[in-house]
Each structure stands twice: as structure tokens, then as C-alpha cells.
Amino acid sequence: MLFDIDGTLLQKASVEHGRALREAAGAVHGVDVMNVDAVKYVGRTDAAITRDLLRAVGLEGAAIDARWDEVKTAAAEAYARLCPPDLSAYVAPGMVELLDELAARPAEFRLSLVTGNLEPIARLKLGRAGVGRYFEALRGGFGSDDEDRGRLPAIARARASDPPWERSRTVVIGDTPHDIACARVDEVRVAAVATGPFAITQLADADAVVDDARALLPVLEDWVATPPA
């Protein structure tokens, strides 16, 4: 089970994350991106967001790429400073109960992450929310691995086992059309939860759409019992 973070595991917990990206990009490149508007955040990787911020103030691709590693480090440091000590109030309703149930059945379910967050930011965010314990270290696909979210499920499957975890046993769980699209790239199933900014009707391309985490368990149980042909 490859869980997205923002809008799926957590709700409205990304304000400090966004500020950390802006601070880091501005500091490394010596520009001001704090007031750049019209950059889309939802469902995208941190690298793609940062690229748009920097392009908006006139930087070109080669210059952005050359210092991306510096920006990643600076963003993680900024987030560690900005992140509230307790994010538990932002955990999506019913999510802890779902994770408890899935984690108690390791023969059927293995929990991991697919998120556009940089990995250090993702780990700290989930740890401060009290749900980091469900997701093993050295597992998952993150925005620090690739700018293209479509490549992240395959990265997560490769880290889960050797040979890579089977597509037939993999499900992406997210709240945006980007989550659906990345699952399609890797040809795995996707369950969408309408707990983010998108309504159920806007997530209709998923294999299943539910209104919150509490409705996910029967879907996932059914899929484990009946893997795709």
C-alpha cells in the first residue's frame, strides 16, 4: 500500500513545508520567491514546485538543476526549524484506525509511501503527526528521488523487495489526479480518497473512490482477495 501524505494521510499540514521550499530556493539562488503566485502545489513533487518558483523569477533549467542538491538540503533544514512540534491534529479522520488495522495484518498488507515530499520532510512531518511508525525507513518513493511523480511507484516497489514488489499486489492511495496518474504510469491499482481539494467526481478515474479513510478498508481487503488478472 503506497500512501500519499498531503491530503491523504494528513490534511492541511503543508504550510510550513511550502515556506521551507521557498526559503531554501531563494537562499540558495539569491532570489526572492516568497511572494511568487500561481504556482501549483497540490499533488506535485517538491522538485517540480521549486522549478516553477525559480522559473517565475527568471532562472533557467540548467541553473536550477545545478543547485538542486543544495536546495534539497536547505529545504530539509528549513522545515526542521519551521515544523510545529505536534501535527497530530492534522491526521485525516479514520486514518489511524485504518493504519492500525493494516499494520496488524502484515501477511496481507505492507505499508509504504509515494509522495512528492522530499524524504527528510516526509519523515519529519509524519513523525510529528504520530504516524511515522507505520512506515519503514529505507522504503517508499519520494520527491527527492525524482521530479517526475510517475516514476515514484516503481522506485517504491524496488525498495520494498528484491526483485521489486509485484504490481498486482501494489495499490497507490491518494487524493489527487496526480496520484491516479502516477499509478497508471506504473500500471498499479489506485484508490482515491476525497479528503483533499478534489471531489469524488474529480477522482472518478481511480479504480475506487471513497469519501474518507474509514471506507478504504473493505476496498483494500477485496483487492487483496482478488488481485488483477
Side-chain angles (χ1 to χ4, degrees):
M1 306 294 116
L2 299 177
F3 281 84
D4 169 59
I5 295 178
D6 296 305
T8 304
L9 290 169
L10 308 181
Q11 295 178 323
K12 300 180 181 179
S14 58
V15 172
E16 295 81 10
H17 180 181
R19 182 172 183 85
L21 289 181
R22 288 175 183 258
E23 283 191 9
V28 169
H29 288 276
V31 295
D32 183 3
V33 296
M34 296 305 293
N35 296 311
V36 171
D37 295 323
V39 170
K40 295 180 179 179
Y41 279 75
V42 176
R44 304 181 70 213
T45 63
D46 285 355
I49 293 165
T50 303
R51 185 178 298 277
D52 283 356
L53 289 169
L54 293 170
R55 280 177 170 169
V57 296
L59 274 72
E60 299 296 331
I64 295 169
D65 293 339
R67 305 195 71 179
W68 172 233
D69 284 346
E70 294 174 69
V71 173
K72 285 194 293 186
T73 299
E77 292 172 350
Y79 187 69
R81 171 172 47 83
L82 294 168
C83 182
D86 185 356
L87 291 172
S88 59
Y90 297 93
V91 178
M95 187 56 71
V96 170
E97 293 81 1
L98 173 67
L99 294 174
D100 278 340
E101 181 67 27
L102 298 179
R105 298 158 64 177
E108 299 170 87
F109 303 105
R110 188 167 185 179
L111 306 184
S112 192
L113 299 165
V114 160
T115 173
N117 289 198
L118 300 176
E119 184 171 4
I121 291 177
R123 298 291 184 188
L124 179 57
K125 190 183 292 186
L126 293 180
R128 296 274 174 97
V131 295
R133 66 186 183 277
Y134 296 104
F135 302 99
E136 293 181 57
L138 307 178
R139 299 286 187 269
F142 302 87
S144 38
D145 296 317
D146 203 296
E147 183 172 345
D148 184 349
R149 192 175 183 120
R151 298 191 180 107
L152 300 186
I155 291 171
R157 289 191 302 102
R159 287 177 174 160
S161 64
D162 185 15
W165 196 261
E166 300 96 322
R167 285 185 171 90
S168 63
R169 299 173 62 198
T170 301
V171 177
V172 169
I173 300 166
D175 69 296
T176 77
H178 291 283
D179 299 301
I180 298 170
C182 83
R184 296 300 179 225
V185 170
D186 198 40
E187 300 179 347
V188 299
R189 288 193 285 198
V190 54
V193 286
T195 51
F198 295 93
I200 286 178
T201 54
Q202 296 173 291
L203 301 170
D205 289 339
D207 297 299
V209 187
V210 297
D211 55 3
D212 68 20
R214 288 164 287 207
L216 272 173
L217 183 59
V219 173
L220 300 178
E221 288 176 325
D222 180 62
W223 285 354
V224 166
T226 57

